[in-house]
Amino acid sequence: MRNLSVVTEFILLGIPHTEDLETMLFVLFLCFYIFTLIGNLLILLAIISSTRLHTPMYFFLCQLSVCDIFFPSVSSPKMLFYLSGNSRVISYAGCVSQLFFYHFLGCTECFLYTVMAYDRFVAICYPLRYTVIMSHRVCAILAMGTSFFGCIQATFLTTLTFQLPYCGANEVDYFFCDIPVMLKLACADTSALEMVGFISVGLMPLSCFLLILTSYSRIVYSILQIRSAEGRRRAFSTCSAHLTAILLFYMPVVLIYLRPTPSPWLDATVQVLNNLVTPMLNPLIYSLRNKEVKSSLRKVLYHLGFLPEQL
């Protein structure tokens, strides 16, 4: 029997098949990361600074922006660190932290999109009761609930992954610590845990997606009952940004975690899009077609000195 030592650190090998592209990837990912942080911070400032935007919809959009600031920050700093020529080593505790916070923020966003769909459902289907149903107390409970259940899901998945013994190879064939690549390094049978993880990771997004689908089925039915063409256009415009963001969020989840035959290069590419590009696009998606947000953004940029005069 081989005498295998317990693993105390891991080596991140990075994105597969990208050797000799470190400098280009560093510049590209750094730009994505900076634009993500700036875009979401501007959305936060725009909403906080405008009393007109202190409504449930924008309250949840604020929470989404906070998630989109921290979500790429789980893996991007370390990735940029080793792409710039520094060490690829990550401690055992660092690896556990990466996996936990990645799934905590990802699950929180998943629940948050469901809550945002419910908010649009109430606003369009029950407009006269909207302020009563979506009170400050209800909004606070829903916001805390998304983080609470995200934490429970992430704790379960992290415990499931790291209760396994890691005593052999320590090279992670990926750019951060995630469940599929970590299970490959465990020196124990992982078939049962892979099935449990597959069901857990698949069941939660699927449940949320079905709830979102139910909300939007009712929303579409209600919009079609609106007699005014202008009213229908405004209602569809309000929901289109949310639907676009939902599709950008769910497609990578399906491609990475629910495919029967994983492909390391495809998974890494989709994961980068999910970690960096989607959080960068969300501020654009929610502001380009929203006059109130654009107006508030102009005021913020004017006060910060980026616009010479208010338009």
Side-chain angles (χ1 to χ4, degrees):
M1 181 181 290
R2 291 181 298 168
N3 184 20
L4 298 175
S5 58
V6 176
V7 171
T8 58
E9 60 184 25
F10 297 96
I11 300 170
L12 299 172
L13 298 182
I15 301 172
H17 313 302
T18 57
E19 294 79 7
D20 303 322
L21 297 175
E22 284 84 359
T23 303
M24 185 189 74
L25 291 176
F26 174 79
V27 173
L28 182 65
F29 294 158
L30 180 62
C31 291
F32 283 157
Y33 187 49
I34 290 171
F35 285 136
T36 297
L37 297 182
I38 292 173
N40 284 287
L41 282 171
L42 285 174
I43 289 290
L44 278 174
L45 287 172
I47 293 172
I48 292 169
S49 64
S50 176
T51 54
R52 289 185 305 167
L53 301 182
H54 292 177
T55 63
M57 182 176 79
Y58 294 109
F59 170 72
F60 294 124
L61 183 54
C62 266
Q63 190 181 2
L64 180 64
S65 290
V66 171
C67 286
D68 281 341
I69 287 171
F70 286 106
F71 187 60
S73 300
V74 172
S75 59
S76 297
K78 181 63 181 176
M79 179 173 64
L80 293 170
F81 182 74
Y82 67 68
L83 283 176
S84 62
N86 293 290
S87 173
R88 294 174 177 265
V89 174
I90 184 171
S91 67
Y92 186 93
C95 200
V96 173
S97 298
Q98 268 198 346
L99 193 145
F100 171 80
F101 283 107
Y102 176 79
H103 286 279
F104 166 60
L105 292 163
C107 293
T108 299
E109 279 205 32
C110 191
F111 292 128
L112 187 56
Y113 281 121
T114 309
V115 168
M116 291 172 78
Y118 174 72
D119 171 70
R120 291 299 83 207
F121 160 71
V122 176
I124 292 172
C125 298
Y126 301 99
L128 299 179
R129 296 171 57 196
Y130 178 65
T131 54
V132 176
I133 296 173
M134 299 301 291
S135 64
H136 292 303
R137 181 172 175 272
V138 170
C139 289
I141 291 171
L142 289 173
M144 288 189 291
T146 60
S147 297
F148 176 73
F149 288 111
C151 184
I152 289 176
Q153 175 79 349
T155 301
F156 171 71
L157 293 173
T158 305
T159 305
L160 191 73
T161 304
F162 286 98
Q163 56 91 26
L164 294 166
Y166 292 90
C167 52
N170 69 337
E171 293 185 341
V172 179
D173 192 19
Y174 215 46
F175 63 96
F176 78 106
C177 299
D178 198 13
I179 296 171
V181 289
M182 295 309 299
L183 291 180
K184 292 178 183 177
L185 299 179
C187 46
D189 181 25
T190 62
S191 55
L193 292 176
E194 284 176 10
M195 183 57 66
V196 172
F198 179 84
I199 293 170
S200 177
V201 172
L203 189 61
M204 186 273 295
L206 179 62
S207 302
C208 290
F209 185 75
L210 289 175
L211 288 171
I212 291 169
L213 198 63
T214 302
S215 293
Y216 271 96
S217 298
R218 293 289 304 277
I219 287 169
V220 170
Y221 177 78
S222 295
I223 290 174
L224 293 176
Q225 304 305 307
I226 299 173
R227 295 179 181 179
S228 163
E230 178 62 18
R232 286 197 299 271
R233 188 195 65 78
R234 289 189 64 183
F236 273 121
S237 179
T238 304
C239 298
S240 61
H242 186 216
L243 283 171
T244 304
I246 287 169
L247 289 175
L248 285 173
F249 178 81
Y250 275 96
M251 284 191 294
V253 172
V254 173
L255 287 171
I256 295 166
Y257 296 106
L258 302 181
R259 284 188 300 113
T261 54
S263 166
W265 184 85
L266 178 62
D267 287 352
T269 304
V270 173
Q271 194 78 274
V272 167
L273 293 174
N274 189 41
N275 287 15
L276 285 170
V277 179
T278 301
M280 182 184 69
L281 291 177
N282 275 345
L284 295 174
I285 292 169
Y286 282 102
S287 62
L288 286 179
R289 300 189 66 182
N290 191 309
K291 292 180 180 179
E292 292 179 324
V293 173
K294 282 193 287 187
S295 174
S296 184
L297 272 174
R298 288 192 193 101
K299 291 178 182 177
V300 168
L301 292 172
Y302 170 73
H303 288 300
L304 291 173
F306 291 107
L307 288 179
E309 59 180 17
Q310 286 186 271
L311 300 176

